Each structure stands twice: as C-alpha cells, then as structure tokens.
Amino acid sequence: MTDGGLPPNPVHVLLFDPGSDQEGIHSLELGGRTVVLLFENPDDAERYAGLLEAQDFPVPCVEALNRQDLEDFCAEAGYEARFVPTGFMPESEEERLLLAPPERNMEVTGWKEDPAAPDVEDPDGPAGDTELEAFRRRLEGLL
C-alpha cells in the first residue's frame, strides 16, 4: 500500500510491477468488457492477489488509490470500473469472478508480451503502448 496514509475515498487495486516499464493493473475480460476491480476492503484485495499467486500468476501489489481518480481513468480508457464492497456476495457466475479469479489465466510471460490473447484474464487490458504509458503517468501522479 502507499506510504503516508490512505488517499481520500480509497479503493484497493492490484498492480503488477508498479514503477517499472512493465507496470499494469489487474483486469478481467467479462462479456467483451475490460473490468478493473476496485476493492473497498484491502483484505479482499490481498485475498484475491493470493488466489492469483496460487494459480502461478504474477504476484500483484495491493495499492490504495482514490476511487474517483480510478473511475475517471477507467472511463477515459474504455474500461469498466467495478466496485467490490466489503461483504460482497455474488449472485451470478460473472459476479463470482469479482471474488475469485477464473481458473484459466494468461501465461505468466504472455501478459507482458501479448495482452490481446482471447478468452483469458488480461492484466493490462486492451491498451496499446500509448494508453499504457498514459495510465502509468496517471498512476504515478496518484501515488
């Protein structure tokens, strides 16, 4: 998590390789939409990260960031920000993915090299290099 306390109106997201050239935010592909999970509870985010790690997925860092800033970023990038409140109970198979990652993920090396692979979890979403760089700059400004 970020040093210096929590940002106003915090949510917790999963970041891969924060501060590096390979930095990315965890996302899911659901019904043709790229969804970024915004966890209210940091323990829920940590649990989700642990489930990814158990699937031999790259281990993400849990970061607390301002909810409005992330929702604005997602809207501008064409992503769907999905808030996961504390105590969330899924009512559909799709909502179950907000609490536990799909059984099938991209290969550990594949997500950095080919973020557009079909039918699998995609940590960077469909962003090209320009969008990724803009996202990286916005995240750096938030931290």
Side-chain angles (χ1 to χ4, degrees), residues 51-83:
L51 292 171
L52 287 172
E53 182 179 11
Q55 293 179 348
D56 294 325
F57 204 72
V59 181
C61 296
V62 174
E63 295 285 338
L65 299 171
N66 178 274
R67 180 177 177 177
Q68 188 61 55
D69 290 342
L70 282 167
E71 288 177 347
D72 291 346
F73 164 76
C74 288
E76 290 171 17
Y79 304 151
E80 178 181 330
R82 185 79 65 96
F83 182 66

Side-chain angles (χ1 to χ4, degrees), residues 16 26-27 49 51-60 101 104-108 111 121-123:
F16 296 95
H26 179 270
S27 65
L51 292 171
L52 287 172
E53 182 179 11
Q55 293 179 348
D56 294 325
F57 204 72
V59 181
R104 184 170 164 228
N105 294 306
M106 290 191 73
E107 295 296 320
V108 171
W111 72 270
E121 190 163 329
D122 185 350

Side-chain angles (χ1 to χ4, degrees), residues 3-26:
D3 293 331
L6 294 175
N9 197 15
V11 290
H12 302 85
V13 295
L14 306 179
L15 298 180
F16 296 95
D17 300 323
S20 77
D21 289 341
Q22 296 295 322
E23 184 176 75
I25 192 165
H26 179 270

Side-chain angles (χ1 to χ4, degrees), residues 26-42:
H26 179 270
S27 65
L28 298 168
E29 291 297 320
L30 299 176
R33 302 174 325 271
T34 301
V35 176
V36 175
L37 302 178
L38 310 178
F39 293 95
E40 178 178 34
N41 187 322

